[in-house]
Amino acid sequence: MNFLRRLREPRLAVLRFAFAAIAACGVALAGCAGVPGGESQAQAPKNIIIMFADGAAPTQWDFGRYSSKVLRQQPFATTDRVFREGTVGLLVTGSNDAYVTDSAAAASAMSTGLKVANGVVAIAPDGRSMPTVMEAAKARGKRIGLVTTAMVYDATPAAFSIHAMSRNDSQALVDQYLALEPDVLMGGGADYFLPEGVSHGKRKGGRDIIAAFRARGYEVVGNTAQLRSAAGPKLLGLFADEFMDFEIDRDPAKEPTTAEMAAAALKVLSQGSPNGFVLLVENENTDTAGHSNDAASLMRALWAFDDAVKVALEFQRSSPDTLVIVTGDHETGGFSPTEVPKDLTSVSSANGIYKGNAQLRMLDRISTSFIAASKKMSKNPSGVLLDELLATHFRGFTLDPDLRELILKQPPYGRNYMYGVQNALGRMVARQTGFNWGTWGHTSEPVLVGAMGPGAELFRGYQDNTEFGKHLHRLITGR
């Protein structure tokens, strides 16, 4: 026994020494990490790119993957790169006063790390204006950029940068952008930059905010060609009076893609930025398509967003000190591709439609958004116009009599379906393809977050959306 003990003791001593050395190395490495944080350490990135698809949750992401593979024969970078190779987590989305959030409350939690009430932009329940991600980044000497297909003063870009008791305080939000001076600001919403009586301006008081930005050294662009030639260090791009168009309706000469805006923003922000930058790129059309129950527009919006994700990943390839995050704020529409019966004559499986390539190709033939169709019908809701619309833009679809009556008479027909023409068209498509929707509104479904780059490990696991905001502040400020 003594002999065996003597043999063991040197081995135990060696093991104790090895463990002590490993622990010492761990402490040393922790001391070199850019961000303090107790037991887990995260390296601080120089740049952060937040790719944000409003209204998108796991079902939407997989729909993007499947449809891109079948119809475009292209990989879907969000799932095939970011979610597959990066760190993946889930975010709970409820607000301070509701289980089902709106975009203002969700983005505020993801920007400030604190729950707020629905409709509020980055102001705590006690009335305090909480530091936003962009304010924190600017205070640390980083350049900041906001890109969206919505109005630039819409809920998500606003909550990541500025403050308001109501997301509808459009003029006040635009005034705050002028005070904040983000290095890049791009999207729709020219209406509240211009005074009443000028173009489609809606501002009270007569002040021209576009001119005010220009006076502060911003290059101002209003179409795709101007964006491509932009070369200044500060950029304001306003491409629509309100929302930018769906990809399915977009005039490429007037409005750039999400990817083109992302590339232009990265070009500006990476110029002369020793402290790096933080960029938010949002595609709002994924959310608006969900509200309309418009699977064809959702599909194309997901592709457009994913093309922008590829731009971000390409930038990261040459700048590996960049953290790329892909996420959304909530789910919209209760999107549910599922089996449906071909008709109501039988409930047997032989009478079912199973989603596949044929149903995707039916979606691919649709050539207008439901919102654009609704605008045409609102001018003259006649049966003749409806038949022309169906023949031109919905080849291969048949409108059932009950849905035809809903479109022509437009009565309220259920609390889960509030957009008459759009939701009726959504039901038409769902009955013949199986791409179903449960509601016109938001749902409580948790959203995915995927991250690649320094600090990505912070976003792993099942977390509240306030943790997302806390992680961003920690990576930016070191606290």
Side-chain angles (χ1 to χ4, degrees):
M1 291 294 294
N2 291 335
F3 175 74
L4 292 174
R5 186 179 295 114
R6 285 195 299 271
L7 284 176
R8 289 193 195 103
E9 284 174 351
R11 291 181 183 176
L12 291 172
V14 170
L15 287 173
R16 283 195 292 268
F17 176 81
F19 285 131
I22 291 170
C25 290
V27 171
L29 288 172
C32 294
V35 179
E39 294 182 358
S40 64
Q41 303 297 326
Q43 182 182 355
K46 179 180 179 181
N47 311 309
I48 301 175
I49 304 173
I50 306 163
M51 303 299 301
F52 202 96
D54 201 298
T59 305
Q60 281 85 346
W61 294 127
D62 197 66
F63 177 53
R65 177 202 62 80
Y66 176 65
S67 60
S68 184
K69 177 182 178 182
V70 172
L71 297 177
R72 299 206 300 173
Q73 290 81 51
Q74 291 186 23
F76 195 68
T78 297
T79 54
D80 300 350
R81 286 283 313 283
V82 180
F83 294 161
R84 180 186 293 271
E85 299 174 14
T87 297
V88 176
L90 281 171
L91 298 178
V92 176
T93 64
S95 69
N96 183 60
D97 62 346
Y99 185 36
V100 177
T101 190
D102 83 324
S103 289
S108 294
M110 298 172 77
S111 170
T112 69
L114 186 74
K115 296 285 190 186
V116 307
N118 282 356
V120 174
V121 178
I123 295 181
D126 63 6
R128 290 176 297 144
S129 291
M130 303 301 296
T132 64
V133 162
M134 294 303 173
E135 287 174 329
K138 187 155 189 174
R140 299 292 290 188
K142 292 183 179 291
R143 306 193 78 199
I144 58 174
L146 299 155
V147 173
T148 181
T149 62
M151 297 82 69
V152 294
Y153 52 77
D154 198 39
T156 298
F160 269 86
S161 51
I162 49 183
H163 312 268
M165 283 304 299
S166 171
R167 60 182 290 178
N168 298 320
D169 291 341
S170 304
Q171 181 164 321
L173 290 168
V174 170
D175 291 343
Q176 288 187 61
Y177 278 135
L178 183 62
L180 180 65
E181 293 191 32
D183 299 280
V184 173
L185 184 62
M186 278 194 282
D191 52 358
Y192 275 99
F193 284 75
L194 294 171
E196 291 178 318
V198 177
S199 185
H200 294 93
K202 295 180 179 178
R203 287 186 63 85
K204 307 291 184 182
R207 191 179 185 193
D208 184 335
I209 302 299
I210 292 178
F213 269 93
R214 189 178 280 115
R216 297 191 183 188
Y218 282 79
E219 186 170 357
V220 179
V221 299
N223 60 48
T224 305
Q226 291 174 358
L227 178 64
R228 288 173 180 165
S229 62
K234 299 170 79 173
L235 179 62
L236 173 65
L238 296 171
F239 306 105
D241 292 325
E242 296 181 351
F243 287 95
M244 294 177 67
D245 283 334
F246 281 106
E247 191 66 22
I248 200 170
D249 303 321
R250 183 178 62 88
D251 181 344
K254 294 180 180 178
E255 297 185 8
T257 64
T258 309
E260 288 171 327
M261 290 192 291
L266 289 169
K267 177 183 175 183
V268 172
L269 293 174
S270 59
Q271 295 177 20
S273 56
N275 298 316
F277 62 82
V278 177
L279 171 63
L280 172 75
V281 178
E282 179 200 30
N283 190 300
E284 167 68 21
N285 293 338
T286 45
D287 175 66
T288 311
H291 284 298
S292 296
N293 300 164
D294 187 346
S297 291
L298 171 64
M299 180 174 71
R300 290 172 174 83
L302 287 165
W303 296 348
F305 175 81
D306 197 64
D307 289 343
V309 171
K310 292 171 184 174
V311 170
L313 292 175
E314 180 61 23
F315 179 88
Q316 186 193 56
R317 190 178 67 83
S318 59
S319 300
D321 51 1
T322 299
L323 171 64
V324 175
I325 305 170
V326 179
T327 191
D329 51 352
H330 54 72
E331 196 275 344
T332 302
F335 185 51
S336 178
T338 185
E339 180 187 3
V340 294
K342 297 175 185 176
D343 52 49
L344 298 180
T345 61
S346 171
V347 294
S348 72
S349 59
N351 193 40
I353 296 174
Y354 294 89
K355 266 60 54 219
N357 297 358
Q359 286 71 41
L360 275 180
R361 292 191 177 97
M362 288 182 72
L363 289 186
D364 202 31
R365 289 197 294 269
I366 297 173
S367 58
T368 187
S369 70
F370 293 177
I371 287 181
S374 178
K375 289 178 180 178
K376 292 176 182 177
M377 286 301 300
S378 66
K379 296 177 182 177
N380 180 22
S382 69
V384 173
L385 179 60
L386 178 57
D387 290 338
E388 291 177 355
L389 191 69
L390 293 169
T392 303
H393 297 292
F394 297 91
R395 291 181 296 113
F397 285 91
T398 301
L399 187 66
D400 293 336
D402 62 325
L403 298 179
R404 183 181 184 87
E405 182 177 4
L406 287 173
I407 291 173
L408 292 176
K409 295 184 178 179
Q410 300 188 28
Y413 61 96
R415 298 191 181 198
N416 276 8
Y417 301 96
M418 299 297 288
Y419 296 121
V421 174
Q422 296 102 297
N423 295 151
L425 290 172
R427 285 191 178 188
M428 176 189 75
V429 171
R431 288 176 182 179
Q432 292 161 72
T433 65
F435 291 103
N436 286 285
W437 303 85
T439 179
W440 69 280
H442 299 169
T443 74
S444 62
E445 182 181 348
V447 297
L448 273 170
V449 54
M452 298 183 74
E457 63 274 14
L458 290 174
F459 301 91
R460 178 181 292 112
Y462 193 76
Q463 304 185 36
D464 192 81
N465 58 3
T466 55
E467 296 302 310
F468 183 94
K470 292 172 184 176
H471 297 330
L472 288 177
H473 280 268
R474 177 183 169 190
L475 292 170
I476 291 167
T477 66
R479 297 192 297 273

